[in-house]
Amino acid sequence: MTYEAMDVQENLLRNDAEILEDTVTAFRSGSNMPARKRLYPVSPCDSCAAHKKAICSSLEGQALDRFRTKGRTRIIKVGEPLFFESEDIRYFYTVISGEVRLCNILEDGRRQVVGFRSCGDKVGEHFGGKYLYDAEAVCDTIVCQFPVRELEMQMQQSPEMRAKLMKIMQEEISELQQHTILLGRKTPIEKIATFLKNRASKLNLVGEENIEISLSMGRSDIADYLGLTVETVSRTISKLKAEKVIDVPSAHAVVVRDIQQLAVLADGKK
Amino acid sequence: MTYEAMDVQENLLRNDAEILEDTVTAFRSGSNMPARKRLYPVSPCDSCAAHKKAICSSLEGQALDRFRTKGRTRIIKVGEPLFFESEDIRYFYTVISGEVRLCNILEDGRRQVVGFRSCGDKVGEHFGGKYLYDAEAVCDTIVCQFPVRELEMQMQQSPEMRAKLMKIMQEEISELQQHTILLGRKTPIEKIATFLKNRASKLNLVGEENIEISLSMGRSDIADYLGLTVETVSRTISKLKAEKVIDVPSAHAVVVRDIQQLAVLADGKK
DNA sequence: CGGGGAGTTGAGTAGAGTCAACCATGGTGG
DNA sequence: CCACCATGGTTGACTCTACTCAACTCCCCG
């Protein structure tokens, strides 16, 4: 079994399956199903791993309930698209589990992965008419899908949601600017080290030893994210392994043995 | 006389000087100066080249007047900073004339120019406590400076201003994503061509022949913006000149002779 | 008129890309 | 259940492009 399959399955076992079940039945049955509803008195959002980080966390009570009923949970298989660049914007998404890559493509096929989105992250624009990138699942992925007009409606009513969305946009800008210096000025070692360091720090395990990072995406996604070729990604990971900074138990998992050294390498201090 | 000096002077002659004069006297004299004010019945913003593109265009009448009194116009000389990365956010700025570079710097001195800001553009965060980049004038520059808390106040009251700010942030995200593919995947020729093409298209002179672009920044700024070295920038510009796509009357000016071909080169279609 | 910084040009080099072979692994079908 | 195949990942040899270092030119300014 692959690591990403394990990931998805584990998540499914924990709570996504219930959320999904819940949501799907809710939609199938329409809104008027009090008996069924009493069986699920707890909002699915309460048990959702993505909720506290996601946009919907800015809503509460009735507003949240209303918003939820406008959404739909979807399973996206590896490689399948959520939407394509320059398609009309109709929905935006919150990733529940799995991971999505955002890509820009040049006519001759060259590709740049603009970013990855995982649990709790927003995918998709809500402004300007057209999407800015292709969004595709890098492994089996579960998302919540909401119509953008619903978002706009909520935004008018909820200052909290406005603030949340602005915060998310600001974080996107900050992340893109950081990525800009990586792409323009860093060496392959620094790029890979930065990438792994950032993934590690997302797990909130700072201070711990042997942090295990799962890489749901393939080498070519990493390459296109860091502005490298697959070969260079592979060689560089091998180098870090040889220097005992990381272990690579499988192609889709990395164990950070020396996070200190990884951080040093990430900014080229050595 | 250098091209940027000419630019600044021309702008000054046209309307910035009056705006500046106006604003400076307004501030010196405080708000209660009816006689003086009658001499300037037209809001300085009305004659400001930056206004219709800038954030303040989302305000009208009294709200605009009030907002304006909270601002200050400043002249920033070549190379001088507006603020530094990780400084506490206190002000945000609108560029009136001239140009500002936004930079990220690594400890060993490597630099990435994240973007340039010119007439009507916003400079500075208003969120998250710290600035994300150094902002420095690339040539003599005039800006309007506003306290961030004033922006936040106006935002609560004005849905138009909220919308405007969101739009600006969305454009920043879009621009950064476009830049990401340039940095990660484009060749020097494509980078320079894209850079010149984008500058040309800002001038709204599409269709015209021999579009003259002024490059207020130096070669090293361009290099750090495009992820190249000065030498490569210089060589590449020379190459485009040799191929008769552009003319280079001076180091700080470029005339696009074949905008079609420039666009082709920008996306590497040939 | 002379000094200095910015820009250009040239020669040589290093490092990431390309091409190709090889290996591992997971999924499929007999 | 095992063998095979396909895909993705790794490693090696070679190439070529963009960087480095250095010399030179051109202005701008005093």
Side-chain angles (χ1 to χ4, degrees):
Chain A
M1 191 189 292
T2 64
Y3 269 77
E4 69 261 21
M6 268 179 61
D7 271 344
V8 169
Q9 197 158 60
E10 269 179 22
N11 281 330
L12 278 171
L13 288 174
R14 224 181 305 124
N15 50 36
D16 296 327
E18 292 110 89
I19 297 169
L20 190 53
E21 162 96 342
D22 235 292
T23 316
V24 168
T25 47
F27 279 103
R28 290 233 180 86
S29 55
S31 51
N32 47 356
M33 192 91 187
R36 193 112 184 72
K37 273 210 169 158
R38 236 178 291 128
L39 288 174
Y40 300 91
V42 177
S43 154
C45 292
D46 292 346
S47 61
C48 170
H51 181 65
K52 55 177 185 299
K53 203 191 154 189
I55 277 185
C56 50
S57 67
S58 59
L59 297 175
E60 288 186 331
Q62 281 196 316
L64 178 59
D65 286 342
R66 183 188 183 293
F67 190 65
R68 225 180 60 235
T69 62
K70 303 292 180 179
R72 234 192 93 192
T73 303
R74 283 180 54 190
I75 298 180
I76 319 288
K77 291 270 180 194
V78 205
E80 282 178 3
L82 274 175
F83 54 78
F84 292 108
E85 188 177 345
S86 77
E87 233 174 65
D88 286 337
I89 296 177
R90 280 161 54 201
Y91 303 104
F92 82 94
Y93 303 82
T94 295
V95 179
I96 306 300
S97 75
E99 197 153 359
V100 174
R101 66 170 170 251
L102 317 181
C103 312
N104 278 167
I105 308 216
L106 289 174
E107 326 208 352
D108 59 7
R110 276 176 292 174
R111 192 180 71 149
Q112 177 65 42
V113 173
V114 163
F116 294 107
R117 296 287 181 268
S118 56
C119 181
D121 292 334
K122 184 202 78 160
V123 178
E125 268 54 62
H126 50 95
F127 223 85
K130 306 276 185 189
Y131 292 116
L132 295 173
Y133 41 73
D134 299 346
E136 296 155 341
V138 295
C139 57
D140 290 350
T141 296
I142 300 174
V143 298
C144 278
Q145 165 185 300
F146 299 94
V148 276
R149 78 185 114 70
E150 200 54 37
L151 183 74
E152 266 148 32
M153 214 131 84
Q154 286 294 341
M155 282 231 290
Q156 278 165 15
Q157 290 160 21
S158 160
E160 291 79 22
M161 186 168 237
R162 286 201 298 263
K164 179 78 184 174
L165 193 63
M166 277 228 175
K167 183 153 172 266
I168 289 173
M169 290 176 83
Q170 182 65 43
E171 281 164 2
E172 276 183 39
I173 290 172
S174 166
E175 191 193 313
L176 280 165
Q177 286 182 355
Q178 283 303 109
H179 201 56
T180 262
I181 190 165
L182 177 145
L183 289 170
R185 289 298 178 219
K186 288 192 177 180
T187 65
I189 284 258
E190 290 162 5
K191 287 178 175 181
I192 296 282
T194 305
F195 175 65
L196 294 176
K197 195 193 90 181
N198 289 347
R199 292 224 128 210
S201 65
K202 261 199 194 167
L203 299 175
N204 278 331
L205 295 174
V206 254
E208 302 209 11
E209 307 261 293
N210 295 332
I211 304 167
E212 180 164 344
I213 306 166
S214 97
L215 305 177
S216 353
M217 71 293 289
R219 294 291 185 270
S220 65
D221 291 329
I222 300 177
D224 287 342
Y225 181 54
L226 301 178
L228 300 170
T229 58
V230 256
E231 292 93 333
T232 303
V233 169
S234 187
R235 272 185 253 274
T236 308
I237 289 177
S238 297
K239 204 179 288 180
L240 287 175
K241 189 177 160 190
E243 289 173 8
K244 308 219 179 290
V245 181
I246 59 171
D247 269 337
V248 188
S250 94
H252 289 277
V254 164
V255 176
V256 179
R257 296 177 61 179
D258 189 344
I259 184 78
Q260 217 87 37
Q261 181 60 10
L262 195 68
V264 168
L265 290 173
D267 290 319
K269 287 173 204 162
K270 80 110 227 287
Chain B
M1 192 191 295
T2 63
Y3 268 78
E4 71 261 21
M6 267 180 62
D7 270 345
V8 168
Q9 197 158 60
E10 269 178 23
N11 281 331
L12 278 171
L13 289 174
R14 224 178 307 122
N15 50 34
D16 296 326
E18 294 109 88
I19 296 168
L20 190 53
E21 164 95 342
D22 235 294
T23 317
V24 168
T25 47
F27 279 106
R28 290 235 180 84
S29 56
S31 51
N32 46 358
M33 192 90 187
R36 194 110 183 71
K37 271 210 169 160
R38 236 178 293 127
L39 288 173
Y40 300 92
V42 178
S43 154
C45 292
D46 290 347
S47 62
C48 171
H51 181 65
K52 55 176 183 299
K53 202 189 156 192
I55 276 184
C56 49
S57 68
S58 59
L59 297 175
E60 287 185 329
Q62 281 196 317
L64 179 58
D65 286 341
R66 184 189 184 292
F67 190 67
R68 224 179 60 234
T69 61
K70 303 293 180 179
R72 234 191 93 192
T73 302
R74 283 179 55 190
I75 298 180
I76 318 287
K77 291 270 179 192
V78 205
E80 283 179 3
L82 274 176
F83 53 79
F84 292 107
E85 188 179 346
S86 77
E87 235 174 63
D88 286 338
I89 296 176
R90 281 159 56 201
Y91 304 105
F92 82 95
Y93 304 82
T94 295
V95 179
I96 306 300
S97 76
E99 196 153 1
V100 174
R101 66 171 170 251
L102 317 180
C103 311
N104 277 166
I105 307 212
L106 289 175
E107 326 208 350
D108 59 7
R110 277 177 291 175
R111 192 179 72 150
Q112 176 67 41
V113 172
V114 163
F116 294 107
R117 295 288 181 268
S118 56
C119 181
D121 292 333
K122 182 201 79 158
V123 178
E125 267 56 60
H126 50 95
F127 222 86
K130 306 277 185 187
Y131 291 117
L132 295 173
Y133 41 72
D134 300 346
E136 296 155 343
V138 120
C139 56
D140 290 349
T141 296
I142 299 174
V143 297
C144 278
Q145 163 185 299
F146 298 93
V148 276
R149 78 186 115 71
E150 200 54 38
L151 182 74
E152 266 148 34
M153 216 131 83
Q154 286 294 342
M155 282 232 289
Q156 278 164 16
Q157 291 161 20
S158 161
E160 291 79 19
M161 188 169 236
R162 288 201 296 265
K164 179 78 184 174
L165 193 61
M166 277 228 176
K167 182 154 174 265
I168 290 173
M169 290 175 83
Q170 182 65 42
E171 282 165 0
E172 277 183 37
I173 289 172
S174 166
E175 192 192 312
L176 280 166
Q177 286 182 356
Q178 281 304 108
H179 202 54
T180 263
I181 190 166
L182 176 145
L183 289 170
R185 289 297 178 220
K186 289 192 176 180
T187 65
I189 283 260
E190 290 162 4
K191 287 178 175 182
I192 296 282
T194 305
F195 175 65
L196 294 176
K197 195 193 90 182
N198 288 347
R199 291 222 129 212
S201 65
K202 261 199 194 167
L203 299 175
N204 277 331
L205 296 173
V206 254
E208 303 210 7
E209 307 262 295
N210 295 332
I211 305 166
E212 180 164 344
I213 306 167
S214 96
L215 305 177
S216 351
M217 71 293 292
R219 293 290 185 270
S220 65
D221 290 328
I222 300 177
D224 287 342
Y225 181 55
L226 302 178
L228 299 170
T229 58
V230 255
E231 292 94 332
T232 303
V233 170
S234 186
R235 271 185 253 274
T236 308
I237 289 178
S238 297
K239 205 180 289 180
L240 287 175
K241 188 177 159 189
E243 290 172 8
K244 308 218 180 291
V245 181
I246 58 171
D247 268 336
V248 188
S250 94
H252 290 276
V254 164
V255 175
V256 179
R257 295 176 61 180
D258 188 345
I259 184 77
Q260 217 86 37
Q261 181 60 9
L262 196 68
V264 168
L265 290 173
D267 290 319
K269 286 172 205 163
K270 79 110 223 294

